[in-house]
Structures are given as C-alpha cells and as structure tokens.
Amino acid sequence: MTIEAPTGDMPADAGRELDPITVEVIGAALESIVEETGEALVRASYSTNIKERRDCSTALFDVQGRTLCQAEHIPIHLGSFIGVVPKILEMHRIEEMRPGDVFVGNDAYVGGGTHLPDIVLAEPIFVDDRITAWTVNLAHHADFADRGHAHIYQEGLRIPPVRLYRAGELQKDILDLILLNCQVPRERLSDLRAQMAANRLGVQRFQTLCAKYGADTVLAAGDALLDYAERKMRAGIAGLADGTYRFEDLFENPEIDGELPLSVEITVAGDEMRLHFESPPQVRAGINMTYTALLATAYYIVKSVVDPTILPNAGLARPLTISAPEGTVLNCTHPAAVNGRVQTCQRVSDLILGALAKAAPDRVTACSNSACCVATFVGQRKSDGQIWVYLETMGGGAGARPTKDGLDGVHVHVTNTSNLPLEALEQEYPLTLVRYELIDGSGGVGTWRGGMGLRRTYRADEDCRVRVDVSRIRSQSWGLFGGGPGAMGGIVGGPGVVFDHDQATLRAGQWFEVVTPGAGGYGPPENRAPDAVARDLAEGVIDAATAREVYGVGA
C-alpha cells in the first residue's frame, strides 16, 4: 500500500462545487468531532484531574500539521498541539505510516510539547489508503510530583514522538517504559486508554464525514475555513489604529527570588500585527516558556480582543508575527525547566491586554489574577503503601470589563479547568478542605469592580508533601482607566508548616491555605452606580469604609 499526501490525481468527488453552505456545514461537523472526542476522553478517564477537572483538549489537524479545529477546552494546550504533528513528520517517514499507528509524546524540545505532564496522542486518519488528517488529544497526567525544577531532566520522563501503537498493535515495551517512570501507573494506564479511545472515535467520525462529502471536499473545506479565519483576523486588526503599543510588568513566583521584568511591544500596521517580547535570560526554575507556549498564549489573547468569533484554526495566525529572543524566559531553549510555564503564560496574557488597551479600550478587560494557582500533593497511603498524587488548580478574580464587573473565583486566560467538588477530593485523597470561600474586598474598585480571589484551606489527614505555584504575591493586578488594583495572592502555613519557596512537608493534622489574587477594576470608582455599591455592601463584597471613602455611598 502506498501512502501519499493529498496531491496528484483527484478522486471523483473533486468536481463537487464548494459553496459557502457546504463549507459551513463541514466546519460545524469538524467542531462537533473535536467536542465529541473531548467528551469521550473526559467520560472514559480515571483520574480526577481529567474526569472531574477536565484538564484535557482535543483537536484535528490536516496532513501538513495545520490546526483545522480545536475544542473549546484549554487554550495553552494548543502550544503542545501545534508542535507535535510537525515533529512526528520530521522524525518519521509518512510513507511508512499505517492505519492504526498512534504516536505518543510530551517533550518540550523534541516532542513538540510545552511541559512534561501534558501527554499527547496523535493518530493519522486514513481515507482511501492515504493520510487525510490527524486526530490529536492531550491529557494532563497528574504525576511527576515532588521533583526539582532546575532543568527539564528533573521534571519527569521525556517522551519524543514514538509509536505507542503500530498498525493497531500496542507496543507494550514503550508502554511499560512510560508506566515504570510514573508514580501512579494505574491512573496513567487508564487515562492513556481513555485518550486512545477518544482518538479512535475521532478517526471514525472523520472517516464518516469523508464518506458523506468526499475526502477532497472535506480537505478543501478545511482550507477554506483556514482562509476565512485569516480574513476575519485581518479585518479585525485593520479596525485597530495603526501604531506601536507597549506594556511592561513584573513577574514573581515562589520558585524564584526577586522579580523578573517582562514587556511586550505590539505594532499594528494595516491588517497585520507584530508582537515582540523581552524578558531576562532563562532561569533555573520551572517558569520558562517554550516558543510554542508563547504562540498559543498570543494567539488566544489577540483573538479574544480582535474578534472572539474567529475560528480556532491555523488561519488566524497568518497575519501575526510573534518574536522573543531565544534563551530567555519567554522563549527558552534546552535544557530549561518548564513545568510551571502556565504562571508565566498568564502574565504574558495580561501584558498583551495592557498594550492593546491603548488600541482597543472598549474590547479589553482590566488585569485578571495573572496566575494559575496550583497545589500538588504527594504521599503514600497508610493502608497499602501506594503512592498518591493530587493536583489542583484554583481560580481567582477575572478583570473588570468595560460594561460589567469581573467574575469571581474563576480560571482565566490560557487555563480553563473546572473546580473539583470537595466531595470528590475528600473521597479519593487523605485531605480535608477546611475552608473554601471568596475573599471579601479582594476585587479592585472601579466603575466596574474586579473579580474576587479565593481562599482554600487544606488539612492533611496523612503525612504528605505539597508544592504550591502562585503569582501576584508581591504585586497587584492592575486596573484600567482609573480602576483600582486587585488584592495580592499568597500562601499561609498553619502551626509548624514552613514553606521553602514553593514546597512544604505536612504532618497529619497540619494545615495551610492558598489565597488567590483578585483582579483589577475598570473605570473610576466614583462612576459606579449607587445601587451596585449598595448590593456589594449587602453581600459583603466590600465593607462600609470602602463604600463611604471610595464610592461616596453611605457617607
């Protein structure tokens, strides 16, 4: 059997007229496929991080490795997707690929990934003995815990794109190698099987679509959808005033001492946009970003500002040029550690918003919490001695909008996972959630107030270790156009609990709490409607002193 890219002689369906309605119908079908495969992954998974928190994503790619469609899951996962198929095509001959081949990878430098817990499975889709597309999914495997983050070799198992299945047959030696390097192999095996099931569904659905419309019609529609996304992005950029817009901020994190200056310069010229980032040299900590992580972050934010209705495919990137010096925190090179790159991605998101606020003040929000607070616990169960790992990410305040308050206690920007119900947490792990609440007064004041941060207090019921990633612990999320800043985040240890930077040992009965940052307000507070101030006061969002002294209500 000869495997070819979709070129050369065209099958009978090539003459079918590609009208806009057909393109729209096929586009909706592609979106349906990635959403359905995403739900299959969630429903079939075993770990709480996927089945409850939905820390996973799915996508379709064309044969060249261009994004056709990505499910509305987690934007940062695009950073792993856009790298993996090109890496596979670079390392493996397409002529030697067969139906049922499945590639697995996670490495940030030779695997197309952005950090090691995000394991990607990619499977070529064959129609009429040729590869027509790829179905790809990613799941964040809550493993590789209690490790160092000075360089990537400390952070977990590095997997280049290799075949996990060959012509439908499991390569057990590869699977055994992966599982041996995992702390919770039973979870990993079950979640990998869920990923495999999701890809198989993606293959079936895409083949069915091709059987209905013809493979070349589907591929031509995919090209048309990429062109449409490009046109919409160009039209949106053209609606902004030409010019150069700059913004800078400081980044801090428990992993590092001091603060890192980050900046962006955005140039709008006609229907194109250039974004150039500056940052210090890469550091011996897990906060460095790969270039693909920077791309995913920039694509998401620019799309959200320019036109949120732009299709999430590779076409939207064509009018964008994104650069940063190699070997820096925002464009790191081997062997920089990258485990906590999402903290930096969040700050980059707000950098872009800060710059574009000058070009599109009615389309941006004030600064959100600029973080993705992560608590990772690891221990050994008394009952059977088995290692357990629990990872949780927490929301915070969302930035106030030009016409609305910011949302309270939510994930923002490149993260989009859900809250884990405390019943699921306490049933599966030797932990108790003592407090879980919004923090009154943590949202920035303004015509529209910023969203409030969260407080979560954990008690260990058995000995364990914990690592906490958070940001905005020495700085505040800025407001816009007269709005006030949000409150800072932090980590508070209970009696006997001492954090060494981001890590601590917990004995049974000890506790600590995570405080997530609030967000900035939008517009001068004196313009806030009195009834909105009264409602905030009645609900405990602000206190009487703030109502009186800041808003002038109840004086």
Side-chain angles (χ1 to χ4, degrees), residues 7-85:
T7 58
D9 294 338
M10 305 295 280
D13 72 293
R16 177 179 293 184
E17 182 180 354
L18 193 64
D19 59 276
I21 294 176
T22 300
V23 173
E24 182 70 18
V25 170
I26 292 175
L30 296 176
E31 181 179 343
S32 175
I33 290 171
V34 295
E35 293 293 343
E36 185 181 5
T37 55
E39 287 303 310
L41 174 53
V42 169
R43 290 174 178 269
S45 60
Y46 183 86
S47 67
T48 56
N49 197 49
I50 304 172
K51 71 180 180 184
E52 298 281 1
R53 297 191 55 257
R54 306 174 69 88
D55 196 348
C56 58
S57 292
T58 53
L60 286 169
F61 286 76
D62 67 13
V63 71
Q64 291 99 346
R66 301 177 301 178
T67 313
L68 288 175
C69 189
Q70 181 182 3
E72 294 184 355
H73 288 188
I74 300 176
I76 187 55
H77 287 168
L78 177 62
S80 294
F81 285 156
I82 59 179
V84 67
V85 175

Side-chain angles (χ1 to χ4, degrees), residues 244-247 263-267 274-278 321 323 355:
T244 298
Y245 308 93
R246 300 177 178 86
F247 197 81
S263 66
V264 64
E265 180 178 279
I266 300 177
T267 301
R274 297 189 297 274
L275 299 90
H276 179 74
F277 296 87
E278 291 287 346
T321 302
S323 61

Side-chain angles (χ1 to χ4, degrees), residues 282-300:
Q282 61 196 44
V283 295
R284 286 175 62 84
I287 60 172
N288 304 289
M289 291 172 58
T290 62
Y291 182 60
T292 54
L294 181 64
L295 292 179
T297 304
Y299 293 163
Y300 151 74

